[in-house]
Amino acid sequence: MSKEKIGIQKEELLRKLPAIEKLLTQPEIIKIVESYSRSLVTDILRSIVSDFRSQILDGNTEINIPDPDEFPELVIQHLEYKLKPPIRTVINATGTVTHTNLGRSLLPKSVCDNILDAAQNYVNLEYDLETGTRGHRDRLTEPLLQELTGCEASTVVNNNAAAVLISLNTLAQGKEVIVSRGELIEIGGAFRIPDVMAASGAILREVGTTNRTHLRDYEDAINENTSLFLKVHPSNYKILGFTSTPDMQELAQLGKKHNISIMEDLGSGALVDLSNYGLPYEPVVADRIKAGVDLVTFSGDKLLGGPQAGIIAGQSEMIQRIRKNPLMRALRVDKLTIAALSTTLQNYLYLDNHITDDFPMLQRYSRTVEELYAFAETVSDRLQNVFQDKISINITETKSQIGSGSLPEETLDSVAVVLTPMVISVEKLSELFRHASIPVIGRIEDNQLYFDIRTLYDDEIDCLIQTSNEISSRMNV
């Protein structure tokens, strides 16, 4: 086809594009404008027409220009896409239970109910109902933390990194903090103890070696400018072999001898002995306070299974100083976090040995391999009915991860449904699942897509099949 003829076809197609002002006079478009703003609808119409114009100018002369009465449906489709919430529900089939990138902990129903109630109503966040005067938001969680951990006092900030930062800034600004070299950790998101220490204004004093630090190393480093001993629980790695570190009670005695306080960043923050639920042992907050730690910081989510928060528990005098720090205003949590955390803590106190019935994360951690195999059979059969000869479906044993830097090097025996695509690449299959109406996030291993059953639950299987049907139909095209 000659350039001249192509140019004529382009001109004819461009003339078919409707004027925006004319489209805005259509009755169906006017109805849409009544529900949304005129500027929003106008912008969408311009975007639609501009897209067709660009395709024509790029040489697509086979394009079908919609009739004017087809534009209202196009506008509605664009509105639905534009107004879809940016944060979306996904199905976690990765096998990483507490997945940082997928929102970490799933909250118990009772916690979600309390969040919704707090969100929809005025609450007594900083109002004392007994006296009718202004109160403090910490009073809503402090009694619960006192009972659970044995601390004298506590406060809550927006995450554990903030808890470490404000504690060091309050207690050790301009002074030395003694830390073992083996505990100068870095966790996800570039949180590094030396950097946080510098940001807090405290002075880092390293002692010992990467794998061995003795009590005498701490004592030899003490001087007139020493403010704290800082212990950091290595929640995202483990040093094995020829290692040593002082017992916490020994370090506490050394601190008392020299009038130096001990602060410990426990990171994941277990409130109960997780070995009772088939998980590896993690230090329990109450045990550390009992051993003589003056101030403990830990996460509200991760192993605790509540909302993202940083909890600071310990001696009353220290907590009072932290509360008065100007940074507290910037780092404090809102009513929704308080509502979620307080209910989470109540569940630990009052559900006792039945917390696995209420906490979704403990449920996922503690599922047996036999239970997972039974569920995998159901998932496999239903996926096979959807994909038939397009994808080979198998079941295999695998390993799940606890996640979020908790319990390093520890994995959980699990079962996976493995998808081997026959007509497309595994990368394309993974992409299709991610881009579906209900995204499903698996993991690729050995050129196969793994759906780890440990992080899948019964109430998600219908959504998984809905997404699979959507993908299968695309594979037919």
Side-chain angles (χ1 to χ4, degrees):
M1 187 181 295
S2 67
K3 290 183 178 180
E4 182 179 354
K5 191 170 184 179
I6 292 174
I8 292 171
Q9 288 182 335
K10 284 183 178 181
E11 289 295 329
E12 290 176 349
L13 289 170
L14 288 171
R15 280 195 293 269
K16 289 182 180 180
L17 292 174
I20 303 299
E21 290 302 321
K22 188 174 181 179
L23 288 173
L24 286 167
T25 64
Q26 288 187 12
E28 291 300 319
I29 296 289
I30 291 173
K31 288 181 181 179
I32 297 173
V33 169
E34 289 173 354
S35 299
Y36 302 93
S37 71
R38 180 183 175 87
S39 61
L40 174 60
V41 175
T42 301
D43 287 344
I44 289 174
L45 285 170
R46 284 175 179 156
S47 176
I48 295 170
V49 172
S50 176
D51 181 59
F52 283 116
R53 181 180 291 108
S54 296
Q55 292 185 57
I56 295 167
L57 294 175
D58 287 343
N60 184 359
T61 57
E62 302 297 324
I63 190 171
N64 292 318
I65 304 298
D67 294 330
D69 59 3
E70 295 180 86
F71 273 81
E73 181 60 33
L74 292 174
V75 171
I76 290 172
Q77 290 175 9
H78 279 69
L79 278 169
E80 289 176 349
Y81 177 80
K82 186 179 284 288
L83 299 178
K84 186 179 293 184
I87 190 164
R88 298 171 58 190
T89 297
V90 304
I91 295 176
N92 176 14
T94 65
T96 301
V97 183
T98 307
H99 200 302
T100 298
N101 303 127
L102 300 182
R104 293 191 180 175
S105 295
L106 305 181
L107 301 178
K109 183 180 182 304
S110 57
V111 173
C112 295
D113 289 343
N114 203 27
I115 293 173
L116 181 62
D117 189 50
Q120 294 179 327
N121 298 283
Y122 294 111
V123 296
N124 60 323
L125 180 65
E126 289 189 347
Y127 185 84
D128 191 323
L129 294 173
E130 291 294 324
T131 64
T133 59
R134 181 169 183 165
H136 195 287
R137 62 189 65 195
D138 281 348
R139 82 189 190 288
L140 301 172
T141 53
E142 186 173 68
L144 300 167
L145 285 164
Q146 287 171 331
E147 194 167 350
L148 283 164
T149 70
C151 69
E152 292 180 4
S154 65
T155 192
V156 182
V157 290
N158 55 19
N159 60 28
N160 189 51
V164 175
L165 175 67
I166 194 171
S167 297
L168 289 172
N169 177 261
T170 303
L171 305 175
Q173 186 176 28
K175 295 182 177 296
E176 289 189 3
V177 177
I178 299 175
V179 189
S180 166
R181 285 190 174 89
E183 297 171 8
L184 295 177
I185 65 168
E186 176 180 338
I187 63 173
F191 173 88
R192 309 177 80 204
I193 287 295
D195 294 343
V196 173
M197 187 93 62
S200 73
I203 301 167
L204 172 63
R205 181 68 183 273
E206 304 175 32
V207 297
T209 63
T210 301
N211 60 318
R212 291 176 70 82
T213 300
H214 304 284
L215 191 65
R216 65 176 181 272
D217 294 321
Y218 286 90
E219 188 159 26
D220 291 345
I222 295 171
N223 61 57
E224 66 279 358
N225 200 36
T226 301
S227 174
L228 286 173
F229 292 150
L230 175 64
K231 292 287 292 179
V232 183
H233 181 57
S235 59
N236 64 343
Y237 79 102
K238 183 181 290 185
I239 299 177
L240 302 174
F242 188 58
T243 67
S244 71
T245 187
D247 177 84
M248 185 56 74
Q249 290 182 331
E250 293 178 331
L251 194 59
Q253 290 174 0
L254 180 64
K256 288 179 180 178
K257 176 183 174 182
H258 294 276
N259 197 29
I260 296 172
S261 298
I262 300 175
M263 171 181 161
E264 183 169 21
D265 171 19
L266 272 185
S268 299
L271 289 181
V272 296
D273 185 353
L274 295 174
S275 63
N276 294 330
Y277 304 94
L279 293 170
Y281 175 78
E282 271 283 284
V284 178
V285 177
D287 293 343
R288 307 308 259 196
I289 289 176
K290 187 177 181 179
V293 179
D294 300 298
L295 199 73
V296 181
T297 66
F298 54 100
S299 293
D301 53 356
K302 293 189 177 180
L303 292 181
L304 196 149
Q308 179 174 298
I311 301 171
I312 310 172
Q315 291 186 356
S316 179
E317 184 271 336
M318 290 182 167
I319 298 297
Q320 292 301 328
R321 289 171 60 190
I322 290 170
R323 285 175 180 163
K324 293 176 181 177
N325 189 316
L327 282 175
M328 178 57 75
R329 183 76 178 183
L331 302 179
R332 70 180 184 178
V333 294
D334 70 344
K335 67 174 182 177
L336 301 185
T337 301
I338 292 291
L341 182 59
S342 60
T343 307
T344 301
L345 297 173
Q346 283 181 318
N347 289 347
Y348 271 100
L349 272 175
Y350 306 132
L351 294 181
D352 195 25
N353 294 327
H354 302 288
I355 59 174
T356 50
D357 298 332
D358 194 63
F359 279 81
M361 307 314 288
L362 277 177
Q363 291 172 5
R364 283 160 172 74
Y365 292 141
S366 58
R367 297 170 79 184
T368 66
V369 171
E370 291 74 20
E371 179 186 355
L372 297 176
Y373 258 115
F375 187 42
E377 292 283 357
T378 300
V379 174
S380 175
D381 290 345
R382 294 191 64 178
L383 287 176
Q384 192 66 68
N385 288 336
V386 172
F387 290 113
Q388 297 180 11
D389 59 350
K390 300 172 189 173
I391 294 177
S392 173
I393 311 292
N394 295 289
I395 296 174
T396 187
E397 293 183 0
T398 187
K399 296 288 186 180
S400 295
Q401 293 184 330
I402 291 168
S404 283
S406 305
L407 297 171
E409 301 300 316
E410 303 290 353
T411 57
L412 303 172
D413 291 335
S414 189
V415 178
V417 174
V418 182
L419 286 69
T420 308
M422 313 301 287
V423 294
I424 59 174
S425 69
V426 68
E427 289 80 13
K428 182 61 178 179
L429 180 62
S430 177
E431 178 186 321
L432 287 172
F433 271 105
R434 294 196 315 272
H435 293 173
S437 301
I438 305 173
V440 180
I441 316 298
R443 68 176 190 265
I444 295 176
E445 286 186 18
D446 302 322
N447 210 34
Q448 297 170 309
L449 183 61
Y450 275 57
F451 286 164
D452 195 313
I453 297 301
R454 182 168 292 281
T455 48
L456 278 171
Y457 252 73
D458 294 353
D459 57 0
E460 295 176 310
I461 189 170
D462 287 341
C463 292
L464 172 62
I465 299 306
Q466 178 182 331
T467 293
S468 298
N469 277 313
E470 178 184 327
I471 291 169
S472 181
S473 64
R474 291 185 186 178
M475 294 172 70
N476 288 330
V477 177

